[in-house]
Amino acid sequence: MSDATDPWLIVGLGNPGPDYAANRHNVGFMVADLLAERIGGKFKRAQKAQAQVLEGRIGPPGPASRRVVLAKPMSYMNLSGGPVTALRDFYKVPTDHVVAVHDELDVDYGMLRLKLGGGDNGHNGLKSMTKAMGADYHRVRFGIGRPPGRMQVADFVLKDFSSTERKELAFLVDRSADAVECLLAEGLERAQSAYNS
């Protein structure tokens, strides 16, 4: 069982490279980048895993501050489990202190859902993580909604956010980063009541 002194591993899920940077599937990277900005650090290549990492602290100075490792797997979405598990083991992070930030089809655009454990709902990044280390990690699910018409899910998630969606995107990414900070500082129930919409 984890305790308050254990580090947290915050994983933004996405695909590496400029072609994917603004895709719906990369909203996890966007939230991780904002958290890195708030910490005041820069990602660097991990020595022990195919990922970019940043170590720091989140929260107000003092006992409420949490030691964190922010990570962006560089393995492509469907292989995220390998780098995440390697980082979890290297930094000695309990699985229930791992937080995956990811896009979620079954939640309306801009809505958030936080939870611990559960299924992968067809999300290849979660599928890979669960296969590698079990399902008992936290998820911050950023709603992207379902594809319009007959568009295939794979095409939809690998498209950039629409111009209408982009008008709110910075605010929503900011809110997601707030939700991660609340989860670490105040626990899942408090974060759910404040941010689940």
Side-chain angles (χ1 to χ4, degrees):
M1 198 56 196
S2 53
D3 68 38
T5 61
D6 287 320
W8 286 80
L9 174 60
I10 315 295
V11 182
L13 292 179
N15 286 307
D19 291 348
Y20 299 100
N23 288 179
R24 291 182 178 94
H25 224 17
N26 269 43
V27 75
F29 274 17
M30 296 173 197
V31 175
D33 286 338
L34 179 58
L35 286 166
E37 216 176 281
R38 289 182 180 186
I39 288 172
K42 286 198 173 5
F43 282 100
K44 60 178 196 277
R45 219 171 126 218
Q47 303 212 324
K48 302 292 179 186
Q50 195 179 353
Q52 291 185 351
V53 295
L54 167 63
E55 294 176 62
R57 297 192 85 83
I58 282 180
S65 171
R66 300 284 180 259
R67 191 157 61 96
V68 298
V69 180
L70 281 177
K72 298 192 295 186
M74 292 286 121
S75 57
Y76 290 99
M77 184 69 85
N78 59 347
L79 299 171
S80 301
V84 174
T85 305
L87 291 170
R88 180 200 64 173
D89 294 348
F90 178 72
Y91 288 103
K92 298 180 173 53
V93 177
T95 301
D96 68 351
H97 272 210
V98 176
V99 181
V101 184
H102 63 92
D103 57 304
E104 178 61 59
L105 287 159
D106 284 338
V107 176
D108 289 341
Y109 176 67
M111 302 287 109
L112 285 181
R113 296 278 193 288
L114 285 79
K115 69 174 191 170
L116 174 63
D120 57 57
N121 211 17
H123 192 289
N124 288 331
L126 298 183
K127 201 176 286 184
S128 177
M129 283 179 61
T130 297
K131 187 176 177 194
M133 64 182 193
D136 295 331
Y137 54 91
H138 287 86
R139 297 103 193 273
V140 175
R141 303 155 72 207
F142 183 108
I144 60 168
R146 302 295 305 181
R150 296 178 175 214
M151 188 189 287
Q152 294 295 312
V153 164
D155 295 333
F156 179 68
V157 299
L158 293 177
K159 278 204 175 340
D160 290 358
F161 285 100
S162 70
S163 56
T164 307
E165 289 169 333
R166 281 199 298 272
K167 287 176 185 160
E168 285 187 284
L169 186 58
F171 166 77
L172 297 169
V173 167
D174 194 66
R175 189 166 182 271
S176 304
D178 290 347
V180 172
E181 292 187 354
C182 182
L183 170 64
L184 269 56
E186 302 184 52
L188 179 60
E189 280 185 30
R190 177 78 189 86
Q192 284 173 326
S193 68
Y195 292 95
N196 276 14
S197 42

